[in-house]
Amino acid sequence: MFATRTRQLSIGLGCTLVLSLAQPAWAHDHGDHAASEPHGTGHAAALGKPGDPATATRSVEVHMSDAMRFSPATLTVQRGEILRLVVHNDGQTKHELVLGTSAELKEHAALMRKFPEMEHDDPNAVSVPPGETRELTWQFTKAGSFAFACLVPGHSEAGMKGTIVVKAAPSKKR
């Protein structure tokens, strides 16, 4: 009896340990790393860092629709610019706008297909319920061509993505 009880206790403790270490990816809210990482590192660091809405250089209205499109689908900014994106969901379903590199967004979209209930709490993402508006402020610190997309499963695959062109500051002539 003692051996059986000890074995049951060992199995129970082992299961508890495995379950605590194997937290499912869908339980990850994407925001737990944001507080522990300095701005400009980790997710979306290739294009910049979160910006302060009070110091935004300009605001741009972005509309999302159930036609699986962003309007405008292309944004052009200057390197160093702090842009406030005012994101409107004109549709009847939840949409989101996530900034990143094309590779990063493609990888993240695959994860979202596996765990569709995953919620975003990243500074480079905004989820917008139907008929509502949210804001995202970002400082674009690197020149290049970057992307944004709706990572709700099936949306980016249906064409709900866009491009951000970050231009280097013009060189000063002497």
Side-chain angles (χ1 to χ4, degrees):
M1 172 127 166
F2 180 74
T4 304
R5 191 65 120 165
T6 303
R7 197 164 125 211
Q8 288 174 339
L9 182 60
S10 295
I11 291 171
L13 287 173
C15 288
T16 301
L17 177 62
V18 167
L19 290 174
S20 69
L21 294 174
Q23 178 180 6
W26 53 262
H28 176 59
D29 73 356
H30 291 264
D32 58 352
H33 60 80
S36 64
E37 294 178 351
H39 288 307
T41 63
H43 200 56
L47 67 153
K49 61 185 180 181
D52 177 3
T55 62
T57 311
R58 66 182 167 120
S59 294
V60 173
E61 306 260 336
V62 177
H63 291 266
M64 303 182 292
S65 73
D66 292 344
M68 303 302 157
R69 296 293 182 264
F70 287 101
S71 179
T74 301
L75 302 171
T76 302
V77 300
Q78 293 295 314
R79 186 176 69 203
E81 185 171 4
I82 301 171
L83 190 65
R84 181 176 39 244
L85 298 169
V86 181
V87 186
H88 304 277
N89 182 347
D90 301 328
Q92 299 298 311
T93 187
K94 181 179 107 175
H95 293 295
E96 59 188 22
L97 185 146
V98 183
L99 302 171
T101 64
S102 294
E104 195 172 51
L105 295 178
K106 185 177 179 180
E107 179 182 321
H108 198 136
L111 186 62
M112 291 291 292
R113 283 191 299 277
K114 285 183 178 179
F115 305 103
E117 298 303 316
M118 187 185 329
E119 291 291 326
H120 290 105
D121 189 23
D122 288 327
N124 67 305
V126 61
S127 292
V128 187
E132 294 191 25
T133 299
R134 299 285 189 274
E135 291 186 6
L136 174 113
T137 305
W138 196 261
Q139 182 174 16
F140 295 88
T141 59
K142 313 256 171 95
S145 183
F146 301 98
F148 59 95
C150 177
L151 299 183
V152 171
H155 291 202
S156 65
E157 296 84 353
M160 198 165 185
K161 46 191 158 188
T163 303
I164 299 172
V165 178
V166 182
K167 297 185 176 236
S171 60
K172 296 182 180 181
K173 295 181 182 179
R174 294 184 177 206

